[in-house]
Amino acid sequence: LILKGDQSIGVIPRHKMFERLGKRYGVELFLRKPVGELETELGVTPFILKHHLPINVAVKLALSRSEGNIYDPIVVEFEDGSRSLLDMYVLLLTQSQLSTNLSGIISSLNNIETILANGMAGASTLNLILESMGSVVPYHHARILLQYQQSISELAGLKDTVQTSHEPLERNDIYRSILSINQPVSLEDVRIVPTWKGSEFPSITRSWMGIPLSIQNGIVELVALSRFTYSPFTNNEKELGLVFTRYISTLLSDLTNRTKRARSYEKLF
């Protein structure tokens, strides 16, 4: 990156710099000149992307550049205006790793389905679902909010992940909107949302998404994902979140029935 004061004003790709300086008299021509003249000579226009763009989108945009510029580094711009360079090869490698991870996720989902079908699910199954979801919908903190007076004994050990609301969820404006449309709702930046009440979530939450959980008897719970940096959830991430919450819904229904049966058995004796 070429800086003027604290501001980045240009970029010189390493491979293009070496290519130009490697020509006859290249070093002699530019060795004592300002680096800005070399940038002008190379005619490179910085390719800038926002830091919160999904990796697949960033790859698609980067590959849409002209053939001679495809492998130029990408300038990543952060929320505070600062910038950093990202090597195109690193971006492509990361996308490849994500594809590999996706195969692992499919295997995990098959495993989850088998566990649920065999009636062997428990607290560890919930952890497995959340862990798998975090691979494709990254988050820093996850919480499942149960309706007021709703509890599941087998999840009692997951107090930081599963929490019973102190009052009906509908009393919270944001929760009520999610439950009424029965669709995920995301908040790009909770700091600018007047109705945000984040007492159930870490105080450093910045971007947030709530996903409805429909279980038996029409009871609707809530899965909430928090990110501690400004990184809004995308529509694709909302759809993926719904896929995983369906497994959580099945798990909660099974565990609720199991809890009810256990209580009925206790009453008999």
Side-chain angles (χ1 to χ4, degrees), residues 98-112 131-136 244:
L98 286 176
S99 297
T100 301
N101 289 342
L102 184 58
S103 298
I105 296 301
I106 294 173
S107 176
S108 294
L109 290 179
N110 289 334
N111 185 31
I112 291 168
E131 181 182 338
S132 300
M133 180 165 62
S135 299
V136 290
F244 285 92

Side-chain angles (χ1 to χ4, degrees), residues 49 53-62:
L49 295 178
L53 275 179
I55 289 175
N56 285 339
V57 175
V59 170
K60 184 176 181 180
L61 292 173

